[in-house]
Amino acid sequence: MSEPGVVLDEPGAGGAPLLWGPGFALAGFLLELFAGGPVHTIEWVLVGLALLGVTMLWVYARRRFLSVKVTTEALWQGRESLPVSRIKELDDVGTPVGAKVLGGGPAVPRKFEDVPLRLDDGSVVLAWARDAEELRDALRRVTGIVRESDGE
């Protein structure tokens, strides 16, 4: 169940990758079992647990640093939040050199699209999401900013 007031929620990573490590270990175990040679059950369990542990760290990091959430109060990019009341323009905002990237990273993460936003002080920041248009639509809903082509 989602929180009240959440308009958009991109978690950064799902839970399916957690099955990869144990799945590979199970495949290795089954190959040994059907090959007729010695079966290393404890070793395969340890390999599955080790791969699960590494994958848990990967999923945790992606959920912490690559999540995007738009609520009625704020835009969350990773661990950084921006009050939506500060957003004044969404469309046709140019990206100046050196614009601050929300979320604390030096650049927009790979495989994410950038969305330049003009703030109430005139500065431009870069928001990002897997689907930039979906992020713009969510921000329009919470800020009340109308797309220029829709307002005519």
Side-chain angles (χ1 to χ4, degrees), residues 17-26 44-58:
L18 296 174
L19 301 174
W20 297 346
F24 290 138
L26 179 62
W44 283 117
V45 169
L46 293 176
V47 165
L49 290 173
L51 292 173
L52 176 65
V54 170
T55 309
M56 285 173 60
L57 290 173
W58 180 80

Side-chain angles (χ1 to χ4, degrees), residues 1-15:
M1 178 174 228
S2 64
E3 304 168 34
V6 173
V7 179
L8 173 71
D9 190 6
E10 286 185 5

Side-chain angles (χ1 to χ4, degrees), residues 54-75:
V54 170
T55 309
M56 285 173 60
L57 290 173
W58 180 80
V59 168
Y60 172 77
R62 289 189 62 89
R63 285 187 177 192
R64 182 157 180 142
F65 298 110
L66 296 179
S67 63
V68 177
K69 185 184 286 189
V70 177
T71 67
T72 54
E73 301 293 321
L75 163 64

Side-chain angles (χ1 to χ4, degrees), residues 24 28 120 123:
F24 290 138
D120 54 358
S123 64

Side-chain angles (χ1 to χ4, degrees), residues 28-105:
F29 171 77
L30 291 175
L31 281 172
E32 274 191 354
L33 186 66
F34 292 123
V39 179
H40 301 90
T41 306
I42 293 174
E43 289 84 350
W44 283 117
V45 169
L46 293 176
V47 165
L49 290 173
L51 292 173
L52 176 65
V54 170
T55 309
M56 285 173 60
L57 290 173
W58 180 80
V59 168
Y60 172 77
R62 289 189 62 89
R63 285 187 177 192
R64 182 157 180 142
F65 298 110
L66 296 179
S67 63
V68 177
K69 185 184 286 189
V70 177
T71 67
T72 54
E73 301 293 321
L75 163 64
W76 287 89
Q77 303 265 215
R79 297 185 306 161
E80 184 177 355
S81 72
L82 174 71
V84 294
S85 59
R86 294 205 53 212
I87 300 170
K88 298 303 174 194
E89 194 175 347
L90 295 166
D91 297 304
D92 299 326
V93 177
T95 307
V97 175
K100 179 183 183 288
V101 177
L102 295 176

